[in-house]
Amino acid sequence: MSMATAQAQSSPSAFDVAAVRAQFPALHQQVNNQPLIYLDNAATTQKPQVVIDAITRYYSFDNANVHRGAHCLSSRATEAFEESRKVVADFIGSPNHDQIIWVRGVTEAINLVASSWGRSSLRAGDRVLVSTLEHHSDIVPWQLICAECKAEVVPIEVSDDGIIDMDAYTTLLDGRVKMVAINQVSNALGTINPVKEIAKLAREAGALTLVDGAQAVAHWPIDVTELGCDFYAFSGHKLFGPTGIGALWGRRELLENMPPFHGGGEMIQRVSFEGTTFNDLPFKFEAGTPHIAGVIGLAAAVRWLQGIDRKAATDHEAQLLARCDELAQSVPGLQRLGPDCNRISVFSFLLEGTHPEDLGTLLDQQGIAIRTGHHCAQPLMSRFDVPGTARASFSLYNTHEEVDALFSGLEKIQTLFT
Ligand code: PMP
């Protein structure tokens, strides 16, 4: 029995972590002569064997370009590619699969909306609200387009616990606000934001909402219709799928009226020097040869996740976080950032007397992978007056023993500095 399996079996959770872990080859290795403890899931998750197999199968047997070939391999590739769109549409509750646009990830999705919707809709004096919790990918694209349109990006303040100040938000919602762009879960703190309420208030004030679901999709089921947002974006690699692929969902009437993002093959109906007409949804936004293997891998990841008891997985993750918070209380000089409740997966902290970067390196020597730094959330770090934090982030395949190992690791590090 491998060490990882033994650890998982002794986990007090009802969730069958051992069975889940067994499907992830990367988890069963040693780094720096120690069993790998992978706690950097907010950055990217490991991939189950079914995802790796789906990509290998595609490249081994079905590799061809999609939509335009008159041969068997192209038909197979096209069928798998378009079937994947239906899988993803179903996964996030989209009424139609042609409202799913393939993008490289959340970053490209937000750039698409900012560039296409923003350039055609924002006027001088308009405002885009983003929370102080946002990842740079939900700030910078808005800054770029607002600078062009003479509009303004305005931050919504957060409390000392890293919770969006809803009073401040409501006060900001005046006629100038055209878009509210918000993450569903903060990657830096794990705060779960009330996006349904935020979208409702935005709608009542005549503004649109874009929800960045990067840190949410792997943790509980999503229904875009129920959320009431106008755009929803997620990245495949945080969802047990490949890097370089993600999806943007948008309300049909918005997508239909938005100009193309990129020009090129596939996004046109007819090209002439007198004038070019554009393709229907979703192809209008998908210029060029897409990441076919990525799309197929993403659908395999989604199917895999749909085969998991999501409620049990979420409960398991909540138990990991609860254990983490409990153990943290007995570590002298440890300061945790973020709220006590309405938080998922993320344990962001500082340890007195050690720099987060050093913590990352010293934990890595013990086989423990965490993230350190500003987490692409510099405005949030400024809000807390820290240059960065150390962040352990959990996934459904982590075990209670791995949480314990993190704290023994921290204890060892503290003895080095005392
Ligand atoms: N938003 C959030 C909340 C994230 O955590 C990330 C990735 N760290 C992104 C956006 C950007 O995602 P990607 O790099 O996959 O485009």
Side-chain angles (χ1 to χ4, degrees):
M1 188 188 295
S2 74
M3 162 89 89
T5 310
Q7 283 178 351
Q9 279 184 347
S10 62
S11 164
S13 164
F15 185 60
D16 191 352
V17 195
V20 172
R21 288 181 73 84
Q23 300 175 58
F24 286 80
L27 296 178
H28 308 286
Q29 61 176 305
Q30 299 227 326
V31 293
N32 296 322
N33 296 320
Q34 308 284 337
L36 170 66
I37 295 180
Y38 187 77
L39 303 179
D40 193 18
N41 296 287
T44 200
T45 54
Q46 298 302 337
K47 319 302 172 200
Q49 190 63 48
V50 283
V51 169
I52 301 165
D53 290 347
I55 296 167
T56 308
R57 199 165 44 244
Y58 164 72
Y59 278 129
S60 305
F61 302 108
D62 301 333
N63 177 50
N65 213 327
V66 287
H67 297 140
R68 44 206 141 188
H71 56 87
C72 184
L73 264 56
S74 179
S75 310
R76 273 197 242 145
T78 305
E79 201 180 312
F81 184 78
E82 288 306 328
E83 190 53 39
S84 300
R85 209 187 292 275
K86 292 182 189 150
V87 169
V88 165
D90 173 61
F91 179 61
I92 59 167
S94 169
N96 294 293
H97 62 271
D98 58 4
Q99 286 167 265
I100 301 292
I101 317 289
W102 299 125
V103 285
R104 281 191 292 141
V106 169
T107 304
E108 189 173 62
I110 299 176
N111 275 280
L112 188 161
V113 177
S115 174
S116 170
W117 172 85
R119 189 169 288 117
S120 57
S121 309
L122 288 171
R123 301 283 171 266
D126 285 348
R127 286 181 152 192
V128 173
L129 302 187
V130 299
S131 86
T132 310
L133 289 168
E134 295 316 299
H135 188 277
H136 296 163
S137 62
D138 198 24
I139 299 175
V140 184
W142 299 115
Q143 288 178 326
L144 292 173
I145 200 67
C146 284
E148 214 180 294
C149 302
K150 299 192 169 46
E152 200 187 352
V153 178
V154 180
I156 311 165
E157 292 306 325
V158 296
S159 70
D160 291 344
D161 287 345
I163 298 170
I164 288 178
D165 181 336
M166 289 300 278
D167 289 337
Y169 171 53
T170 319
T171 309
L172 283 172
L173 273 178
D174 59 23
R176 290 173 292 180
V177 178
K178 297 295 180 297
M179 170 66 80
V180 179
I182 205 95
N183 63 42
Q184 201 169 2
V185 172
S186 151
N187 63 310
L189 303 180
T191 315
I192 301 172
N193 292 317
V195 285
K196 192 172 169 184
E197 175 70 5
I198 286 171
K200 180 173 169 280
L201 291 167
R203 201 166 45 250
E204 286 166 5
L208 302 181
T209 318
L210 177 145
V211 175
D212 164 1
Q215 296 294 339
V217 275
H219 300 296
W220 67 79
I222 304 298
D223 185 330
V224 287
T225 314
E226 208 227 309
L227 283 181
C229 57
D230 298 285
F231 297 101
Y232 190 92
F234 71 92
S235 301
H237 69 98
K238 296 186 199 279
L239 183 69
F240 316 106
T243 52
I245 189 67
L248 168 70
W249 173 87
R251 266 205 296 122
R252 173 181 289 281
E253 56 277 27
L254 288 168
L255 292 174
E256 274 173 350
N257 288 320
M258 279 158 55
F261 174 43
H262 291 146
E266 200 68 14
M267 49 74 72
I268 52 87
Q269 222 151 42
R270 186 172 154 70
V271 179
S272 78
F273 288 112
E274 287 68 48
T276 290
T277 52
F278 305 122
N279 210 338
D280 295 330
L281 290 177
F283 310 112
K284 179 173 82 174
F285 292 110
E286 294 179 358
T289 300
H291 185 7
I292 306 164
V295 165
I296 289 168
L298 172 56
V302 166
R303 285 192 181 104
W304 177 82
L305 194 57
Q306 284 171 328
I308 297 275
D309 180 341
R310 303 288 310 268
K311 166 86 175 65
T314 309
D315 289 349
H316 170 68
E317 288 179 24
Q319 285 173 21
L320 294 176
L321 206 55
R323 182 166 188 88
C324 207
D325 288 355
E326 188 193 317
L327 292 175
Q329 282 176 12
S330 48
V331 180
L334 188 147
Q335 183 201 346
R336 185 177 67 68
L337 283 85
D340 291 337
C341 42
N342 283 335
R343 187 169 120 253
I344 194 157
S345 166
V346 173
F347 178 71
S348 204
F349 65 100
L350 296 164
L351 195 59
E352 204 182 325
T354 55
H355 193 279
E357 302 289 329
D358 296 333
L359 270 182
T361 310
L362 293 167
L363 285 172
D364 183 51
Q365 285 168 10
Q366 302 177 48
I368 304 170
I370 63 156
R371 188 86 160 180
T372 61
H374 55 62
H375 314 296
C376 295
Q378 284 179 340
L380 185 67
M381 298 296 121
S382 303
R383 163 69 178 80
F384 291 124
D385 205 15
V386 294
T389 72
R391 180 190 74 185
S393 53
F394 305 101
S395 182
L396 43 75
Y397 45 58
N398 288 122
T399 67
H400 288 254
E401 286 74 9
E402 288 181 320
V403 175
D404 294 356
L406 168 68
F407 283 90
S408 343
L410 292 176
E411 217 171 276
K412 279 186 211 153
I413 292 168
Q414 276 191 318
T415 57
L416 292 176
F417 288 95
T418 49

